[in-house]
Amino acid sequence: MLPSSPLPPGAVIGIIGGGQLGRMLALAAAQLGFRCHIFAPENDSPAFQVATQRTVASYTDYDALRGFAGKVDVVTYEFENVPAETAAFLAGRVVLAPGVAALQTAQDRVAEKTFISGLGLPVAPFAPVSDERELEDAIGRIGRPSILKTRRFGYDGKGQTRIDGRKNAATAWAEIGRAPAVLEGFVTFEREISVIAARGWDGEIAIYDVPENHHENHILRTSTVPAGIAAATARRAREIGGRIIAALDYVGVIGIELFVAGDDVIVNEIAPRVHNSGHWTMDACSVSQFEQHIRAICGWPLGSPERHSDVVMTNLLGDEVNAWRKLAAEPGTALHLYGKAEARRGRKMGHFNRVTPRQA
Ligand code: AMP
């Protein structure tokens, strides 16, 4: 459903999910004069601290969803595991962006890879797997090493296992909990990069510079911009991002993770939301990915994605957040803390952007 005119300041944006991404969306929305209503099941959701209204309920509580839809002017979401039925229920009552189809494509690794390869864009060789025998056949075709991933609900390396020379199909199948899966060929990449892109209701597209991403234990550690890649590689990545966001008829910000292998740029996965590898935009661009998402879903003109500084974004995981005092004293460092009470191991507690004058 296309809004007939831009939502004016004072309108209410509904956000499904109350984590740090919802929190940073709500902060950006407030900056433009919007109010936010957060829908999340956890009482202590970080986004509640910065929003004017909240609903604490399960994502399948249809009475609560009906009430929420009646109180907001547009709905968006901050994580990709919103049940598709919930998204469809909301879309029948209020403008929802990104739409249900994009969400469903990104929720299922097989649908996602089929969609991307259908556009003629490169993905790792893949095969759907629904039992141990199919896995054995798939290993026969795709070879080793390969990676077995659950079709759904994987994040930060959870729900996946590498199949190397020794591991047999039965072990791998048990390791991922015998859930519907996809076997992927192993990509020997030199770098991981991503594309953070936005698209408005009118089809306008804005794409940020390409960050280079380093992971530790499958969790994003840093994003560096500019990336250490050739200009042609960056152009190719942005072109891929533009093709995907347009083909999904997407409204809002999307994060697309890619591998660079030689001259090839290979799509790994799509996140239908603002993305951790776009947090650097908060301090190196005049319009951050969060503001861009709010602009897009509210029918405002997109902001310029231009980067005015070089930047390294570093995540603060678990008790690393205790370094806040030192980081706060560092010139050129912008600190962002998420207001989470408990610094559990590996939990994303905040991030900081080290910003330097733009060199290239
Ligand atoms: P994902 O959950 O798909 O984002 O995968 C998490 C991480 O595992 C990626 O960031 C890569 O470092 C690695 N990985 C995933 N898929 C592959 C692949 N097909 N080949 C090589 N490494 C991969």
Side-chain angles (χ1 to χ4, degrees):
M1 203 189 328
L2 187 95
S4 48
S5 56
L7 276 183
V12 182
I13 298 170
I15 300 175
I16 304 287
Q20 66 269 16
L21 300 179
R23 176 184 173 103
M24 290 185 276
L25 283 170
L27 289 168
Q31 191 188 316
L32 299 180
F34 292 110
R35 288 176 292 153
C36 285
H37 185 148
I38 310 288
F39 189 114
E42 302 86 4
N43 257 314
D44 59 348
S45 297
F48 287 162
Q49 298 166 12
V50 300
T52 50
Q53 293 156 78
R54 70 176 73 169
T55 298
V56 184
S58 118
Y59 296 124
T60 52
D61 180 338
Y62 287 92
D63 286 336
L65 289 167
R66 195 178 292 108
F68 170 73
K71 293 193 199 108
V72 299
D73 297 297
V74 62
V75 173
T76 190
Y77 42 90
E78 59 118 47
F79 72 114
E80 59 272 42
N81 291 326
V82 178
E85 301 74 27
T86 298
F89 180 85
L90 291 168
R93 288 164 175 76
V94 61
V95 176
L96 175 84
V100 180
L103 177 69
Q104 280 179 311
T105 303
Q107 278 179 342
D108 176 354
R109 291 189 192 271
V110 172
E112 182 179 72
K113 286 180 195 303
T114 305
F115 167 76
I116 296 163
S117 55
L119 296 177
L121 299 175
V123 294
F126 70 99
V129 165
S130 53
D131 58 35
E132 199 182 308
R133 253 212 52 206
E134 280 184 17
L135 176 56
E136 260 163 25
D137 290 350
I139 296 172
R141 270 176 289 137
I142 289 177
R144 297 161 185 261
S146 45
I147 301 195
L148 183 65
K149 303 179 179 179
T150 55
R151 284 177 71 147
R152 294 173 168 273
F153 305 124
Y155 71 98
D156 289 346
K158 295 194 172 58
Q160 57 178 273
T161 185
R162 181 176 158 148
I163 300 180
D164 58 18
R166 291 179 305 276
K167 194 178 287 178
N168 65 27
T171 308
W173 185 236
E175 275 173 1
I176 62 148
R178 302 183 169 84
V182 60
L183 185 72
E184 275 181 40
F186 190 84
V187 179
T188 313
F189 56 80
E190 286 106 48
R191 296 174 200 275
E192 292 191 78
I193 59 172
S194 54
V195 171
I196 307 297
R199 185 168 173 275
W201 291 99
D202 60 359
E204 182 192 3
I205 293 174
I207 305 179
Y208 288 98
D209 275 354
V210 172
E212 176 171 342
N213 305 317
H214 285 275
H215 297 84
E216 280 171 19
N217 304 320
H218 292 284
I219 300 175
L220 184 67
R221 165 57 61 184
T222 61
S223 292
T224 303
V225 198
I229 54 174
T233 306
R235 265 200 308 279
R236 174 71 180 139
R238 292 161 58 95
E239 183 202 331
I240 289 173
R243 291 272 309 281
I244 290 175
I245 200 170
L248 284 171
D249 199 19
Y250 193 92
V251 175
V253 167
I254 196 169
I256 302 168
E257 296 180 31
L258 307 119
F259 301 128
V260 179
D263 289 338
D264 295 332
V265 178
I266 297 157
V267 181
N268 176 27
E269 66 174 357
I270 298 174
R273 53 171 170 78
V274 286
H275 197 258
N276 196 169
S277 70
H279 289 2
W280 60 272
T281 60
M282 297 172 91
D283 299 298
C285 300
S286 47
V287 174
S288 74
Q289 65 163 347
F290 300 100
E291 178 178 339
Q292 195 74 296
H293 185 78
I294 298 297
R295 283 172 172 253
I297 66 170
C298 293
W300 286 33
L302 298 184
S304 164
E306 201 182 325
R307 178 173 60 84
H308 53 65
S309 300
D310 290 353
V311 58
V312 179
M313 188 285 311
T314 304
N315 273 336
L316 289 167
L317 305 176
D319 59 14
E320 290 166 6
V321 72
N322 296 335
W324 63 266
R325 199 184 292 265
K326 181 176 148 283
L327 291 165
E330 220 180 79
T333 293
L335 183 60
H336 301 267
L337 301 176
Y338 305 153
K340 297 181 183 178
E342 213 190 321
R344 284 194 298 271
R345 205 184 128 100
R347 191 180 196 201
K348 290 176 181 169
M349 302 297 290
H351 69 271
F352 59 93
N353 288 324
R354 283 206 173 106
V355 179
T356 49
R358 184 171 172 152
Q359 300 296 320

